Amino acid sequence: MLSAVFSFYIFIIMSIITKFHIYWLQGGLWPGKDKQDFIDKVLGNGNEVPGLVAYIFVILTFVIMAIFPLAVYYNIDLGIISMYKQYVFLVFAIIFFLRGATMFVSFLAKNATPIFLEYNKKFYAPLCLSLSISYFYLYTLYI
């Protein structure tokens, strides 16, 4: 039962995050008002948005991260990856844990804009930590 809840939670959240990245790839700037405000709020520093290749890489990665838990939940044969599904869940859990933990690493915060740090504390880090917990729970089911 909990595996279904966590699998669908991950799918829904990662799908929404993927859609934001597609929107940004197409030139959208929300939650910013202009390009620099977008960079300050979403990227945290710099003055350039990522390029096409970076966006496509992130979008494809997030699609895989969204679909993988559902594929495992519904026992879809993933070939050789099926044998290592617990490690895939663990890697995803570690990735999101590290991203969520950046809120607590002061030397990383020195280069970030204040508005990014605020958004990170309120939204990004808690969301990443919740995804980490979800992936880790699914990992524990297969060890």
Side-chain angles (χ1 to χ4, degrees), residues 48-113:
E48 290 295 322
V49 295
L52 176 67
V53 174
Y55 272 120
I56 290 174
F57 175 78
V58 169
I59 289 166
L60 291 176
T61 302
F62 287 175
V63 166
I64 291 167
M65 291 175 142
I67 293 173
F68 187 77
L70 289 184
V72 171
Y73 178 75
Y74 284 115
N75 291 320
I76 297 172
D77 184 17
L78 300 170
I80 194 157
I81 293 176
S82 291
M83 295 177 0
Y84 301 105
K85 62 186 161 224
Q86 71 273 20
Y87 301 114
V88 174
F89 282 130
L90 182 60
V91 167
F92 291 167
I94 291 169
I95 289 168
F96 282 105
F97 175 78
L98 291 173
R99 172 57 188 89
T102 59
M103 179 178 77
F104 305 105
V105 181
S106 62
F107 74 86
L108 294 174
K110 288 180 184 176
N111 295 328
T113 61

Side-chain angles (χ1 to χ4, degrees), residues 29 35-40 42-51 54-55:
L29 297 174
K35 179 181 163 186
Q36 191 58 52
D37 190 41
F38 167 78
I39 291 168
D40 292 344
V42 176
L43 303 176
N45 63 16
N47 56 10
E48 290 295 322
V49 295
Y55 272 120

Side-chain angles (χ1 to χ4, degrees), residues 3-60:
S3 63
V5 171
F6 283 115
S7 295
F8 281 95
Y9 171 75
I10 290 169
F11 176 76
I12 292 166
I13 297 300
M14 291 306 298
S15 295
I16 292 168
I17 293 170
T18 301
K19 288 175 184 157
F20 276 122
H21 284 77
I22 292 169
Y23 165 74
W24 295 331
L25 171 65
Q26 296 172 337
L29 297 174
W30 186 86
K33 296 177 189 100
D34 56 36
K35 179 181 163 186
Q36 191 58 52
D37 190 41
F38 167 78
I39 291 168
D40 292 344
K41 289 178 177 173
V42 176
L43 303 176
N45 63 16
N47 56 10
E48 290 295 322
V49 295
L52 176 67
V53 174
Y55 272 120
I56 290 174
F57 175 78
V58 169
I59 289 166
L60 291 176

